[in-house]
């Protein structure tokens, strides 16, 4: 009798996770959205978690930082969310979504305007770090912009080469690498003048923040060396506007390590999703580097190299 009871208890314990998963909301997950807007293709992200039967919703807009959505209603597989509250000069932005498997589809409503929405479950991108890496190769040759191209209107680009340095002379276009990358080891050095702001994007989706603004201007997860809005440096180093900062960034899947000026400031942490300004939401695909030039000018870069996994 004891053996039978023990066996049944073991069987029941094995069933608990399965039954528990059946109770989980189909809305739970990380969702990637590629959106078509009047200004072109844009990327957005929605993160939904569940604890004690209650949902928590976070939204990454096409620009800016990820934030919590406080006004929403979930019924079964349907989510109604106020992404942006109404203001005196604009109507509220509402998302109506339905989950079905690995897709989240619906519509965005802003006043009388409607935009179709189609999200997919973001890939986990969990993989071991490569045992071997290629020899670092230059992405910037110190002589020309070969291998790089301005984004958008070329006439708005103020990127140039001076004294062997990659320089953004003034507010204007962003600059994108021609090549695309998956797992990578990136090295770059940047001279950021006082009150300047830029960012170096990995795969065109995850921004390594570069800025020398007053500390009061940004919370720690949006300061220099952060994954913008997502991961704060565990150690804040002294700011040195006008001096050279060295960055070594390793990205494997969605796990990132950042070493700034020889100090590990982010150590094997997971990037939950895209950051504002992402070129697209295709997180499982290789993507280019790009450097922001549309915030402020005056930044200089040198010694930009990359290594990739080698067999």
């Amino acid at each position: 009798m004891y053996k039978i009871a023990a066996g049944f208890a073991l069987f029941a314990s094995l069933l608990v996770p399965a039954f528990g998963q059946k109770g989980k909301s189909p809305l739970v997950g990380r969702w990637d959205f590629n959106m078509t807007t009047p200004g072109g293709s844009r990327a957005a992200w929605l993160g939904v978690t569940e604890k004690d039967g209650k949902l928590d919703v976070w939204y990454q807009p096409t620009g800016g930082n990820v934030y919590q959505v406080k006004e929403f209603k979930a019924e079964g597989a349907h989510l109604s969310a106020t992404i942006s509250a109404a203001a005196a000069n604009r109507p509220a932005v509402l998302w109506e979504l339905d989950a079905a498997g690995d897709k989240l589809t619906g519509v965005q409503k802003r006043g009388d305007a409607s935009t179709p929405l189609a999200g997919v479950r973001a890939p986990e991108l969990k993989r071991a770090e490569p045992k071997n890496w290629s020899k670092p190769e230059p992405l910037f040759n110190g002589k020309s912009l070969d291998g790089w191209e301005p984004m958008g209107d070329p006439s708005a680009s103020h990127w140039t080469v001076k004294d062997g340095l990659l320089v953004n002379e003034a507010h204007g276009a962003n600059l994108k690498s021609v090549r695309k990358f998956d797992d990578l080891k990136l090295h770059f050095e940047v001279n950021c003048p006082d009150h300047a702001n830029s960012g170096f994007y990995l795969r065109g989706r995850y921004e390594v923040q570069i800025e020398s603004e007053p500390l009061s201007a940004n919370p720690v997860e949006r300061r220099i060396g952060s994954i913008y809005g997502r991961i704060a440096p565990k150690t804040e180093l002294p700011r040195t506007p006008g001096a050279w900062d060295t960055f070594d960034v390793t990205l494997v899947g969605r796990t990132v390590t950042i070493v700034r000026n020889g100090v590990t400031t982010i150590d094997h942490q997971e990037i939950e999703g895209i950051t504002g300004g992402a070129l697209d939401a295709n997180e499982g695909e290789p993507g280019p580097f790009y450097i922001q030039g549309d915030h402020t000018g005056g930044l200089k870069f040198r010694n930009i190299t990359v290594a990739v996994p080698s067999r």
Side-chain angles (χ1 to χ4, degrees), residues 13 37 134 152 248:
S13 69
T37 72
S134 67
D248 289 281

Side-chain angles (χ1 to χ4, degrees), residues 64-262:
N65 57 280
V66 65
Y67 61 83
Q68 187 178 26
V69 176
K70 296 184 177 181
E71 293 186 34
F72 69 89
K73 184 177 181 180
E75 294 183 346
H78 185 78
L79 176 69
S80 299
T82 301
I83 296 299
S84 164
N89 59 344
R90 56 175 172 76
V93 177
L94 309 175
W95 277 25
E96 298 286 345
L97 296 165
D98 291 286
D102 291 332
K103 294 184 179 181
L104 203 57
T105 57
V107 64
Q108 172 181 286
K109 298 178 181 179
R110 186 196 298 261
D112 295 330
S114 295
T115 303
L117 296 172
V120 297
R121 195 176 296 278
E124 290 190 349
L125 302 181
K126 291 183 178 179
R127 47 185 179 252
E129 188 164 331
K131 294 182 179 179
N132 299 298
W133 295 86
S134 67
K135 181 181 177 180
E137 58 179 305
L139 282 177
F140 168 59
N141 62 20
K143 300 176 182 178
S144 69
L145 294 178
D146 288 353
W148 296 84
E149 57 188 9
M151 296 166 56
D153 181 3
S155 67
S157 177
H158 302 293
W159 291 94
T160 188
V161 180
K162 287 186 175 181
D163 300 323
L165 306 177
L166 177 62
V167 180
N168 183 34
E169 295 183 309
H171 166 97
N174 298 328
L175 191 70
K176 180 176 68 172
S177 69
V178 174
R179 290 177 57 189
K180 295 182 178 181
F181 300 89
D182 198 349
D183 293 342
L184 57 92
K185 278 182 174 285
L186 168 70
H187 173 91
F188 69 89
E189 297 165 26
V190 58
N191 187 309
C192 183
D194 205 8
H195 295 279
N197 188 303
S198 181
F200 206 118
Y201 279 73
L202 314 174
R203 297 192 201 123
R205 303 182 188 105
Y206 313 114
E207 180 187 2
V208 179
Q209 171 72 326
I210 302 168
E211 56 83 31
S212 58
E213 298 171 326
L215 290 175
S216 59
N218 303 295
V220 64
E221 72 275 7
R222 294 182 230 161
R223 294 177 188 165
I224 186 169
S226 65
I227 298 297
Y228 188 79
R230 294 286 189 179
I231 305 175
K234 66 178 183 180
T235 301
E236 281 207 89
L237 302 181
R239 289 166 174 256
T240 55
W244 288 96
D245 273 295
T246 298
F247 283 84
D248 289 281
V249 183
T250 302
L251 180 64
V252 176
R254 59 172 72 251
T255 299
V256 66
T257 296
I258 296 180
V259 178
R260 179 181 165 215
N261 296 336

Side-chain angles (χ1 to χ4, degrees), residues 267-300:
D267 191 6
H268 293 86
Q269 288 190 245
E270 182 186 44
I271 306 174
E272 281 193 322
I274 61 172
T275 61
L279 299 181
D280 59 49
N282 305 325
E283 291 194 82
E285 299 179 4
F289 294 112
Y290 93 78
I291 309 173
Q292 282 183 324
D294 62 356
H295 284 18
T296 59
L299 289 96
K300 304 173 185 176

